[in-house]
Amino acid sequence: MQTVITKNFDYGEKEINYLKSVDTVLGTAMTQLGKVEREIIPDLFAALVHAIVGQLISAKAVQSIWARMQENVGAMNSENIAAQSVEAIQSCGITMKKAACILNVALTIEQGLLDLQELYELSDTQVIQKLSSLHGIGPWTAEMMLINSMERPDVVSWGDIAIRRGMMKLYNLDTLTREQFEEYRRAYSPYGSVASIYLWSISFR
């Protein structure tokens, strides 16, 4: 039973036309692909759990684990998750380290030590800093939250292997340096998140 509500990342002609105008190579790929939909999870806690599950595993694996978690554990809210044992969370097919991280986040929220709603008042950099202060969460997980839950418009994650692979395929590169990545990221701004959505799509083609 899927309990978590999803929607598509909200973007349109404005972002598409801007990216096509600043990067003709990306623009050509965007025309070929048409509008790419990116399913996101508006609920911050559920999205954070989803991002933790997704650390260093394939999108396909995430899908089956996520479905199993909703089936076995139930509601993806901090109150319900905080009441689970680490073993119950881990038995859905994730590592003990990830299970402990998810439980820790839920307990931190339930103890009143973290208010995810406050993230909406922070800049992207501050959100990354705040979430990265939690055990088991790094910049990539925070960046996935920024795109896949908060719909922040300008996020391109260096830590995301698929995004880097998408760039390499798009621009026909054998390697990608951090400097090259930053150059592209700056060119996409202020609509980096939409560029990321296309780079993911290119990566998996």
Side-chain angles (χ1 to χ4, degrees):
M1 185 184 69
Q2 300 285 350
T3 59
V4 174
I5 294 165
T6 61
K7 68 181 281 289
N8 287 329
F9 189 101
D10 190 21
Y11 74 98
E13 290 301 314
K14 181 178 69 172
E15 293 85 352
I16 291 167
N17 292 338
Y18 179 83
L19 289 169
K20 284 180 177 179
S21 74
V22 295
D23 189 321
T24 52
V25 180
L26 176 60
T28 302
M30 290 173 82
T31 302
Q32 286 168 348
L33 288 166
K35 186 166 185 193
V36 175
E37 297 295 4
R38 177 80 180 175
E39 193 176 51
I40 66 149
I41 300 170
D43 181 78
L44 290 173
F45 179 77
L48 184 52
V49 173
H50 188 270
I52 295 164
V53 169
Q55 292 169 352
L56 301 172
I57 63 172
S58 72
K60 201 173 178 182
V62 175
Q63 229 173 351
S64 59
I65 292 166
W66 188 237
R68 203 176 309 134
M69 281 185 84
Q70 292 178 78
E71 190 75 46
N72 298 358
V73 177
M76 281 296 152
N77 58 53
S78 57
E79 187 182 6
N80 181 45
I81 300 298
Q84 306 294 324
S85 68
V86 72
E87 290 78 14
I89 300 168
Q90 191 261 329
S91 70
C92 297
I94 58 173
T95 62
M96 190 54 88
K97 190 179 169 190
K98 284 185 185 178
C101 176
I102 290 167
L103 184 58
N104 177 54
V105 170
L107 290 168
T108 305
I109 291 167
E110 285 304 296
Q111 288 158 4
L113 301 172
L114 173 67
D115 180 1
L116 290 178
Q117 294 306 313
E118 286 177 0
L119 297 180
Y120 288 116
E121 292 156 31
L122 305 178
S123 69
D124 293 355
T125 306
Q126 288 169 325
V127 169
I128 292 166
Q129 284 170 344
K130 179 98 173 166
L131 290 174
S132 297
S133 70
L134 296 165
H135 184 67
I137 293 174
W140 177 85
T141 307
E143 286 164 340
M144 293 309 100
M145 282 280 290
L146 287 168
I147 298 177
N148 296 328
S149 183
M150 301 174 76
E151 295 186 85
R152 289 290 173 90
D154 199 17
V155 182
V156 188
S157 173
W158 166 256
D160 193 283
I161 294 164
I163 283 181
R164 294 206 308 271
R165 190 173 62 212
M167 271 188 186
M168 287 164 70
K169 281 173 86 169
L170 179 65
Y171 302 110
N172 214 7
L173 304 168
D174 293 327
T175 56
L176 178 71
T177 64
R178 186 69 193 254
E179 289 70 33
Q180 285 169 305
F181 173 88
E182 290 299 333
E183 213 172 290
Y184 293 128
R185 188 184 63 75
R186 282 194 295 272
Y188 305 150
S189 187
Y191 302 122
S193 298
V194 174
S196 292
I197 289 167
Y198 278 88
L199 290 168
W200 271 315
S201 190
I202 292 161
S203 173
F204 292 112
R205 281 172 74 80

